[in-house]
Amino acid sequence: MAAKRTKVDAAASSTRLAPLSKTPTGIKGLDALTLGGLPTGRPTLLCGAAGCGKTLFAMTFLVNGINKFGEPGVLMSFEERARDLETNVASLGYDVAELVERKQLVIDHVYIERAEIEESGEYDLEGLFVRLGHAIDSIGAKRVVLDTIEALFSGLDDTAILRSELRRLFAWLKDKGVTAIITGERGDGQLTRYGIEEYVSDCVILLDNRVEDQVTTRRLRVVKYRGSSHGTNEYPFLIDEHGISVLPITSAELGHRISHESVPTGVPGLDDMLGIRGYFRGSSILISGLAGTGKSTFASAFVNAACERGERCLFFAFEESPDQIVRNMASVGLKLDQHIDSGLLDFQAARPSLYGFEMHLARMNRDIEEFAPQVIVVDPISAFRGPSSEIHSTLIRLADICKSKGITALFTSLSSSGEQMSESERSVSSLMDTWISLKDTEANGERNRVLYLLKSRGMNHSKQLREYQLTNHGIHMVDAYVGPDGVLTGTARIAQEAREREAGLSRKQATERRRREVARKRAALDRQIAELRAALETEEAEMATLIEQEEARELAHGSERSEMAAIRGVRS
């Protein structure tokens, strides 16, 4: 008996550990946060208020199932006619009529009129089951959508019968083995109108269309998912001509793969200021400064250099149109139009007020997925208005997306005019690996531009302020010049250089005069020495003559004494 229990327990354990089978929706981001898709062979409740996109989500689920996974589908609508549905989803690029003609999709409109419904005896859905079962069997459908469940039960007031029939409907769908989406309207104080659908569904997804500060943002939340873990937060999603995209989950762990590769900035003098002669690939760069300091020009120079290397670049513009940026950059020698024509550069321009922060993030994420760039530019992030915490959160997620894909991201930001850094600028700058500050200096009645690196993680970098000029041939970095009162720029620099040249010439002339004076003194001294040497030599010659004369006299005197002695007869 013990052995038998062990085998049974092992079999039960094996059953419990079997992973839940999932059916991918094909909707970008949704499959990521559900870790694979919707539960296969089980019903999923998709609920939300009017206008949040329930029908479009459901239709996308069916169309993607046919086109991407080869799974036919059935849509049973209780509100919209088939022709209206075909027209509505055509804006997403779906040719529903063709799918119906190919017998891969069945759209069945069931008209229900409350006044025509009579409750006599026991109310059931047998007729619906027969109709839906025939549609499923006719094409071998694997996916089913019922839109919406409130219309199906609109004529039923008996709560007990309602609950019973809802349970029967969900059980019938499970028995058919189809992966089903059932749409429902948002109720008061509960997820749905009747409050029972969310309890009998294996997966519940809540859609929300929220308006804050006159800006609409669509959000999605997986309320429950039996047998599977899932993302539990709210995620923005976007519906436009490209379809539906949901912002994916960003990693809570800082485990991004890094690169040691250097990416040139597009400005040779700026490369010299960075220890690796450029930015790290996959890093985040912030260029901040007042209006007119050339933030967009530095960003465009970076993009131009990347495109010349054959890299794909995506430029998100929030203040200027693409044509305006291309025209303005041509004045500094940057021909961005040629990169657009080659397909290496793509502009995505929108007003910041068009969407909320999260919707902008969802749109940018979708564009990044589709274009697959190596470099992106966001110009400027200061165009967004709202709580700094929301801006900070949005940029964290965007930077996280870029780092996970190895994309080098450059952000520009308009600085405040005062010396104090704004709260949003402080919060944003902490996310950046490299921070470049551009500023204006006013002296001698003129304005000049200077640049300095506030930080660049992972490398040594210049601490020097550098003047730069926007010329017809790009950005020219002027060599650092420090005068007595600090860094000088413009005419002040020229005047100081002239003064220093004049002072240098004066010092040179004074030195030359001193050298000539020393030479003159040396020559005079040499003459004196020559004269003294000549006088000394004369005296020495005279002394030698005197000595010779004295010796001659001594010799002559000795000879005379000898002769006198001989004469006197004296013998020696």
Side-chain angles (χ1 to χ4, degrees):
M1 292 294 293
K4 290 183 179 179
R5 282 196 298 269
T6 302
K7 291 182 179 179
V8 171
D9 292 343
S13 176
S14 176
T15 302
R16 286 195 300 270
L17 294 176
L20 178 67
S21 178
K22 297 186 178 183
T23 297
T25 65
I27 298 174
K28 293 180 179 178
L30 180 58
D31 291 335
L33 68 93
T34 55
L35 306 183
L38 305 182
T40 301
R42 299 186 182 187
T44 295
L45 177 65
L46 189 65
C47 56
C52 62
K54 299 185 296 295
T55 303
L56 292 180
F57 252 98
M59 183 61 80
T60 301
F61 169 71
L62 292 178
V63 173
N64 287 343
I66 297 170
N67 294 334
K68 297 182 178 181
F69 308 105
E71 296 183 356
V74 172
L75 172 64
M76 182 166 281
S77 173
F78 304 108
E79 290 184 337
E80 296 182 88
R81 296 176 298 178
R83 183 178 303 173
D84 296 333
L85 285 170
E86 292 175 5
T87 303
N88 293 343
V89 299
S91 61
L92 301 181
Y94 301 153
D95 190 350
V96 173
E98 181 189 1
L99 299 178
V100 173
E101 186 178 350
R102 285 160 40 191
K103 297 189 181 304
Q104 293 180 314
L105 176 65
V106 172
I107 299 179
D108 189 5
H109 175 233
V110 179
Y111 177 74
I112 297 177
E113 177 59 46
R114 179 186 177 92
E116 297 177 0
I117 297 178
E118 288 187 8
E119 296 184 24
S120 56
E122 210 170 295
Y123 181 88
D124 60 46
L125 299 175
E126 287 300 330
L128 175 68
F129 295 159
V130 172
R131 190 165 176 173
L132 182 57
H134 173 73
I136 293 173
D137 296 337
S138 65
I139 61 172
K142 300 296 183 182
R143 303 184 180 208
V144 171
V145 169
L146 301 181
D147 184 42
T148 64
I149 198 168
E150 283 78 17
L152 176 61
F153 294 106
S154 61
L156 190 60
D157 295 326
D158 191 318
T159 305
I161 296 177
L162 172 64
R163 289 175 176 268
S164 174
E165 292 305 303
L166 277 172
R167 292 182 185 278
R168 283 189 64 208
L169 173 62
F170 281 67
W172 184 87
L173 291 170
K174 283 186 177 182
D175 292 340
K176 291 294 290 184
V178 294
T179 305
I181 286 182
I182 300 168
T183 65
E185 296 179 4
R186 187 72 185 268
D188 296 330
Q190 52 194 10
L191 293 180
T192 56
R193 181 182 298 180
Y194 302 117
I196 184 63
E197 301 94 315
E198 57 260 38
Y199 294 102
V200 296
S201 301
D202 290 272
C203 179
V204 179
I205 298 176
L206 177 63
L207 305 183
D208 183 28
N209 192 19
R210 199 174 306 167
V211 180
E212 297 176 352
D213 296 329
Q214 301 179 355
V215 176
T216 301
T217 302
R218 289 187 170 96
R219 293 180 173 89
L220 175 149
R221 179 166 66 94
V222 180
V223 178
K224 79 170 186 178
Y225 199 137
R226 287 175 181 159
S228 173
S229 59
H230 56 86
T232 56
N233 295 328
E234 285 190 328
Y235 303 91
F237 67 93
L238 185 65
I239 301 177
D240 60 8
E241 66 277 6
H242 299 282
I244 299 175
S245 58
V246 181
L247 187 67
I249 302 171
T250 54
S251 175
E253 300 178 357
L254 297 176
H256 305 300
R257 301 180 66 179
I258 64 169
S259 171
H260 295 279
E261 180 185 353
S262 172
V263 180
T265 66
V267 182
L270 180 56
D271 289 338
D272 296 336
M273 298 179 68
L274 296 164
I276 63 170
R277 297 191 60 78
Y279 310 125
F280 279 119
R281 184 172 295 280
S283 63
S284 300
I285 303 102
L286 174 65
I287 299 180
S288 63
L290 296 174
T293 52
K295 299 180 296 296
S296 298
T297 306
F298 273 90
S300 297
F302 180 52
V303 165
N304 182 70
C307 290
E308 289 180 346
R309 295 191 301 270
E311 298 180 7
R312 296 169 66 83
C313 301
L314 190 55
F315 198 117
F316 295 104
F318 295 101
E319 285 187 343
E320 299 178 280
S321 68
D323 290 342
Q324 186 177 3
I325 294 175
V326 170
R327 182 203 65 188
N328 293 346
M329 293 305 107
S331 66
V332 292
L334 300 175
K335 308 297 183 182
L336 300 182
D337 52 347
Q338 61 183 352
H339 303 311
I340 297 175
D341 295 338
S342 68
L344 292 175
L345 175 59
D346 183 42
F347 279 91
Q348 293 294 331
R351 285 293 181 189
S353 57
L354 181 61
Y355 305 114
F357 300 122
E358 293 182 333
M359 291 296 286
H360 274 295
L361 183 58
R363 184 180 68 89
M364 288 190 284
N365 176 70
R366 182 205 62 202
D367 294 336
I368 289 172
E369 289 282 350
E370 293 180 353
F371 192 71
Q374 285 84 35
V375 169
I376 73 164
V377 168
V378 181
D379 180 40
I381 57 176
S382 52
F384 296 103
R385 295 291 181 267
S388 59
S389 59
E390 291 189 17
I391 299 176
H392 184 265
S393 174
T394 300
L395 291 175
I396 281 181
R397 296 162 83 178
L398 179 57
D400 191 50
I401 290 170
C402 292
K403 287 181 182 293
S404 65
K405 298 178 183 298
I407 298 172
T408 309
L410 188 148
F411 304 85
T412 69
S413 177
L414 178 66
S415 300
S416 57
S417 57
E419 292 294 330
Q420 290 289 357
M421 190 187 305
S422 65
E423 180 181 353
S424 61
E425 193 172 10
R426 283 197 304 271
S427 63
V428 168
S429 63
S430 65
L431 304 175
M432 300 300 153
D433 300 301
T434 299
W435 184 7
I436 300 172
S437 178
L438 311 179
K439 63 183 296 186
D440 290 326
T441 60
E442 294 186 6
N444 297 335
E446 65 178 15
R447 187 186 72 174
N448 297 285
R449 302 179 177 96
V450 294
L451 171 153
Y452 59 99
L453 286 164
L454 290 174
K455 71 173 182 179
S456 191
R457 292 170 178 159
M459 70 178 80
N460 189 20
H461 59 85
S462 172
K463 315 302 188 295
Q464 181 68 61
L465 272 70
R466 293 285 299 274
E467 181 184 1
Y468 63 95
Q469 298 170 349
L470 305 182
T471 70
N472 294 333
H473 305 288
I475 301 172
H476 173 61
M477 300 292 294
V478 181
D479 292 335
Y481 183 88
V482 181
D485 299 323
V487 176
L488 300 179
T489 60
T491 57
R493 173 195 180 105
I494 296 173
Q496 180 63 25
E497 287 177 339
R499 286 193 293 270
E500 291 191 359
R501 284 195 300 270
E502 183 178 353
L505 180 60
S506 298
R507 289 193 299 272
K508 183 178 180 180
Q509 292 173 345
T511 302
E512 185 64 25
R513 287 195 300 270
R514 184 70 180 271
R515 187 188 66 79
R516 290 196 300 268
E517 181 67 21
V518 170
R520 185 186 64 78
K521 289 182 177 181
R522 179 182 294 277
L525 183 59
D526 289 342
R527 287 194 299 270
Q528 290 179 1
I529 292 173
E531 292 174 356
L532 290 174
R533 182 178 288 113
L536 179 60
E537 291 175 350
T538 301
E539 289 182 3
E540 289 176 346
E542 291 177 354
M543 180 61 68
T545 301
L546 290 175
I547 293 172
E548 289 178 356
Q549 291 176 353
E550 185 65 25
E551 290 177 349
R553 283 195 299 270
E554 286 292 333
L555 181 59
H557 183 67
S559 298
E560 289 177 356
R561 284 199 303 268
S562 298
E563 291 178 359
M564 290 178 64
I567 294 173
R568 292 176 181 170
V570 177
R571 293 183 180 181
S572 54

